[in-house]
Amino acid sequence: MRRTKNGVCLEGVLEFDDECPDLSKRIQALTGVEEVINHMVMKRRMPIPPKG
């Protein structure tokens, strides 16, 4: 995450288990953040298959 003139820019990869979180809305709820530029790659976490 990095600051921009009016907010923040999100960058990176986020793995999630159940439901994909809405990061933009959560970040905008923070005081003083007017703009969220979302460059996140979201991917569902895949379970590791058992050995055997």
Side-chain angles (χ1 to χ4, degrees):
M1 178 167 62
R2 62 183 170 87
R3 294 249 333 131
T4 63
K5 182 178 178 181
N6 295 321
V8 294
C9 178
L10 306 176
E11 300 173 318
V13 177
L14 177 67
E15 291 185 12
F16 60 94
D17 290 320
D18 298 323
E19 188 175 321
C20 182
D22 188 345
L23 291 180
S24 295
K25 284 186 180 180
R26 290 182 183 187
I27 297 294
Q28 282 181 328
L30 298 173
T31 303
V33 176
E34 297 176 18
E35 176 184 52
V36 177
I37 301 168
N38 189 346
H39 290 181
M40 296 291 294
V41 174
M42 310 293 266
K43 68 180 197 176
R44 183 174 300 277
R45 186 180 317 239
M46 302 305 282
I48 298 173
K51 289 185 177 181

